[in-house]
Amino acid sequence: MDGSPLDRAHELLDQGRPNEAAAILRTLIEENRGSLMSRLLFARALISSGDIATALETARDTSTLYPGIAQAALSLGEALLAAQLLPPAIAEFQRALRIDPSLDEARVKLAQAWLDGGEPDKALDILNALEDEPARAALIERANAMRTQQRSDAGYVRHLFDQFSADYDQRMRGQLAYAAPEILRGLADLIGLQFARHRILDLGCGTGLAGIAFKDIAARLDGIDLSPAMIEKARARQIYDDLKVADLETALVEMPGGYDLLIAADTLVYLGDLELVFAAAAVALQSGGTFLFTVEKAEAGFELGPKRRWRHSESYLRDLAVKHGYEIAGFLAASPRTEAGQPVAGFAVALRKIS
């Protein structure tokens, strides 16, 4: 096949020119001259060029045409992974391995998908059984780093809430008696915040339940969340001035003095060490601004609970507040939700930036 369009597309992709490779492969397929290899390479070129939607459509068509071919299942898994559709991506990689148990490329991709979903132990089970795979060492290093970090992995949180977004409100309000937004609003009223209008940033805004509770005292209401699906739910409420997909630890430091009220309802439970959050919140708050949040209760320091939610002690929070230039405006025992029908012990905290 020397000099064939397929060879040329391979060369272009290897040279980092995916758009040109995709154009050649698109022509082959449209002219009904595209083999299975052409379709697989086309999906890969589209992913490399950033056209994830077309890559997903192409990979699905290929999987339908070649249902018993492991490489077709692998290609669909890669497109789903690129689209951050983790559960179906994992299912396709597993299907590829059922068709061809020797396909180590699918094992590597499956490990990557588990890591993107914040599951390092599952990834390591796969990676430790592999040999001589170029990506293996880097993925093992990433998995080990995830196991030791003192916060829930961002990929895990995003994956978790993308999955729950469709029925999040019903699940939280019904099954778990979720009350963190109302608890924080009650604390805000207790310390007198209801008498002014505030520039508010809702940290981990989810579907917007906290935004609803605070909208009436907002001069401006913005929100950030790790989950794109949750952000879309919040956007549909039409109560926020701006919404973005972001990690609060990094986003806050990019907003110096931008807000006079930060709220984090049931958000810090996905962070263990709050050092970076307290420091970043102080950057985002103007002098005299307030940081309102709920946490679950630990007896000392911080710890990871059995439900993969972090707990924080009163002494830890008070010490960290002093360290980062806050005064305690309010500190209440509170139960932000239930678990197995029992109230979860926690705190509702109001910190005021001193200077």
Side-chain angles (χ1 to χ4, degrees):
M1 293 183 64
D2 289 344
S4 72
L6 189 57
D7 280 345
R8 180 58 179 153
H10 266 294
E11 292 173 3
L12 290 167
L13 202 51
D14 289 342
Q15 293 167 8
R17 298 157 67 183
N19 289 321
E20 295 172 63
I24 292 173
L25 295 162
R26 188 190 303 274
T27 299
L28 284 177
I29 293 168
E30 289 176 349
E31 294 177 352
N32 294 318
R33 295 190 292 134
S35 62
L36 170 61
M37 184 58 67
S38 299
R39 291 177 175 276
L40 297 175
L41 197 61
F42 185 41
R44 193 159 290 183
L46 289 166
I47 292 171
S48 296
S49 68
D51 189 353
I52 307 302
T54 308
L56 194 50
E57 180 184 355
T58 299
R60 282 187 171 131
D61 289 345
T62 303
S63 181
T64 300
L65 287 169
Y66 302 94
I69 301 298
Q71 288 286 351
L74 171 62
S75 177
L76 179 53
E78 289 175 334
L80 289 163
L81 184 60
Q84 283 296 301
L85 299 172
L86 295 181
I90 288 167
E92 286 303 314
F93 295 139
Q94 291 171 332
R95 183 168 74 89
L97 288 167
R98 287 196 299 272
I99 297 170
D100 182 2
S102 69
L103 190 59
D104 281 349
E105 187 178 0
R107 284 189 172 82
V108 171
K109 289 294 183 178
L110 179 58
Q112 181 183 335
W114 282 126
L115 287 176
D116 285 356
E119 298 284 357
D121 291 336
K122 291 181 179 179
L124 284 170
D125 286 344
I126 297 166
L127 294 167
N128 288 333
L130 289 173
E131 296 180 2
D132 301 326
E133 282 293 329
R136 179 177 180 270
L139 290 174
I140 288 176
E141 182 178 357
R142 178 184 169 196
N144 287 329
M146 286 173 62
R147 294 179 75 188
T148 58
Q149 64 187 0
Q150 293 182 323
R151 59 166 285 174
S152 299
D153 183 74
Y156 161 74
V157 176
R158 180 175 60 248
H159 172 50
L160 177 69
F161 286 99
D162 278 349
Q163 284 187 296
F164 287 163
S165 62
D167 63 349
Y168 176 83
D169 289 4
Q170 298 91 323
R171 183 190 298 260
M172 293 297 287
R173 294 298 203 184
Q175 297 177 17
L176 302 177
Y178 175 61
E182 291 72 29
I183 289 170
L184 286 184
R185 180 53 200 271
L187 179 56
D189 290 351
L190 186 65
I191 63 175
L193 296 184
Q194 75 272 31
F195 299 116
R197 295 294 176 266
H198 308 273
R199 292 172 299 157
I200 302 174
L201 179 61
D202 187 356
L203 304 172
C205 63
T207 63
L209 294 176
I212 293 172
F214 281 83
K215 179 62 175 176
D216 68 307
I217 60 169
R220 178 182 178 87
L221 179 61
D222 297 335
I224 60 174
D225 199 282
L226 275 170
S227 165
M230 297 289 267
I231 285 287
E232 288 310 307
K233 291 288 185 179
R235 183 169 285 115
R237 293 192 189 277
Q238 298 184 340
I239 60 172
Y240 290 91
D241 295 288
D242 184 60
L243 288 162
K244 65 178 64 175
V245 178
D247 187 312
L248 65 89
E249 285 186 339
T250 53
L252 284 171
V253 296
E254 298 171 357
M255 308 168 177
Y259 298 93
D260 48 78
L261 177 57
L262 305 178
I263 56 176
D266 208 38
T267 298
L268 302 189
V269 295
Y270 296 101
L271 300 168
D273 186 353
L274 298 181
E275 186 89 34
L276 288 178
V277 175
F278 276 43
V283 172
L285 283 170
Q286 67 174 6
S287 180
T290 305
F291 183 17
L292 291 175
F293 58 87
T294 60
V295 294
E296 295 182 8
K297 179 182 178 181
E299 294 304 321
F302 59 90
E303 62 187 18
L304 186 62
K307 298 294 184 179
R308 297 181 67 175
R309 295 161 62 84
W310 293 89
R311 300 165 175 169
H312 302 86
S313 72
E314 179 173 353
S315 60
Y316 172 78
L317 296 169
R318 288 183 178 275
D319 290 346
L320 208 57
V322 171
K323 178 178 179 180
H324 289 283
Y326 300 98
E327 62 180 2
I328 307 293
F331 204 116
L332 306 175
S335 176
R337 56 187 280 167
T338 63
E339 195 73 62
Q342 298 300 312
V344 173
F347 302 115
V349 183
L351 305 181
R352 184 167 291 120
K353 181 180 175 182
I354 297 173
S355 59

